[in-house]
Amino acid sequence: LLNAAISTPLSDIKIFFPGRTWAMRARLESNFCNSNKNPTIFIIGDAAHEMPPSGGFGLNTAVQDAHNLAWKLATAYHTNDSRLLTTYESERRPAAAVSIAVAFDNWRRGLTVPSALGAPPALLNVARSICSPLPNFFFDTAFSIARTLVFSSPALRASQAHLAELLNRKQDLPLFFPRIDLGVRYDQEALQAVLEALLNARHPSGAEPYNPIFAPGHRLPHFTLPDGRASLDLVTQATEKGKSPIW
């Protein structure tokens, strides 16, 4: 794939695999490029940031990195002007910080559900460490027995009431964050962006909807122009011609 993506095939490529299993973490690199004045090396995706999978922000954030960088590289190539490349880190690092903060907060909220059912995270980790070396058959059997015992327990009614309270207060694991997924903005510092996103994610009535805003640093809203074209078509046409997008 790498040779197919570049004009000059490389014969000395080596792929190193550390041999370790996946571990959940929350990490944000201090730099997304090698220079703030004349960057020539950039990192995107998991190389720049890692986050818990709760909420599905990892792939979204990586695609946003690629989108932000791709049109700037194309513009620099066609215009011989690389000034736009200096904005990649300043725009994408705060946005990645938002994804990490919300994903981590979402993971912590997800722990309230098993805790409400009488299965605190520490107990789940012990059970996983015990069962992981066993074949799936033994794990599935043990899980079925445990589930039968739990659901036949008189204490379940209290657990169900606690869980219902969590769900009613929307303190469980949410799955949809339209304002955060679609409302990525490039006019904020990292701390301000993170605080605003966390307040949105923990809104009492659930994550707020995405409302398009016609302002610099925001996603260009979709609307129909007088000649019948879509507003987003102007961005595509400008990029295909090697010009800086109008937005």
Side-chain angles (χ1 to χ4, degrees), residues 3-233:
N3 283 333
I6 60 179
S7 58
T8 304
L10 302 176
S11 58
D12 57 347
I13 298 178
K14 294 183 179 180
I15 299 177
F16 295 93
F17 177 67
R20 64 185 182 188
T21 58
W22 175 84
M24 187 180 72
R25 69 182 79 186
R27 177 185 61 85
L28 180 67
E29 284 294 326
S30 56
N31 298 104
F32 281 20
C33 54
N34 64 328
S35 172
N36 291 328
K37 295 182 178 180
N38 186 29
T40 56
I41 301 174
F42 306 87
I43 57 175
I44 67 173
D46 286 353
H49 40 70
E50 293 179 281
M51 61 201 73
S54 43
F57 295 100
L59 181 58
N60 287 349
T61 308
V63 171
Q64 291 166 1
D65 291 344
H67 173 269
N68 185 281
L69 183 59
W71 74 264
K72 292 176 180 178
L73 287 172
T75 301
Y77 175 80
H78 287 290
T79 64
N80 199 29
D81 185 349
S82 61
R83 286 177 296 177
L84 271 175
L85 295 176
T86 62
T87 65
Y88 169 68
E89 179 178 308
S90 62
E91 291 183 349
R92 287 305 307 156
R93 193 170 184 275
V98 166
S99 296
I100 293 172
V102 176
F104 186 77
D105 183 66
N106 209 32
W107 168 74
R108 295 187 62 180
R109 293 173 66 179
L111 297 179
T112 60
V113 173
S115 296
L117 294 174
L123 180 60
L124 295 177
N125 288 335
V126 171
R128 183 179 61 181
S129 63
I130 294 175
C131 296
S132 58
L134 300 177
N136 289 336
F137 170 77
F138 292 101
F139 178 78
D140 293 339
T141 303
F143 181 78
S144 298
I145 295 174
R147 182 174 57 185
T148 302
L149 292 175
V150 168
F151 279 88
S152 62
S153 170
L156 178 62
R157 288 188 291 272
S159 298
Q160 288 177 327
H162 187 194
L163 178 60
E165 181 183 359
L166 291 175
L167 297 178
N168 290 334
R169 293 189 315 201
K170 297 186 182 298
Q171 294 183 345
D172 57 318
L173 175 66
L175 298 176
F176 300 104
F177 298 87
R179 184 175 172 184
I180 296 174
D181 290 332
L182 299 175
V184 178
R185 49 188 298 188
Y186 295 140
D187 61 346
Q188 290 180 303
E189 295 295 331
L191 180 58
Q192 177 190 1
V194 166
L195 292 177
E196 182 178 300
L198 289 176
L199 288 175
N200 169 257
R202 283 185 168 265
H203 195 274
S205 61
E208 295 179 357
Y210 166 63
N211 296 313
I213 300 176
F214 197 84
H218 293 253
R219 178 189 296 267
L220 178 64
H222 176 271
F223 56 91
T224 303
L225 299 169
D227 60 4
R229 290 181 299 168
S231 57
L232 301 182
D233 290 340

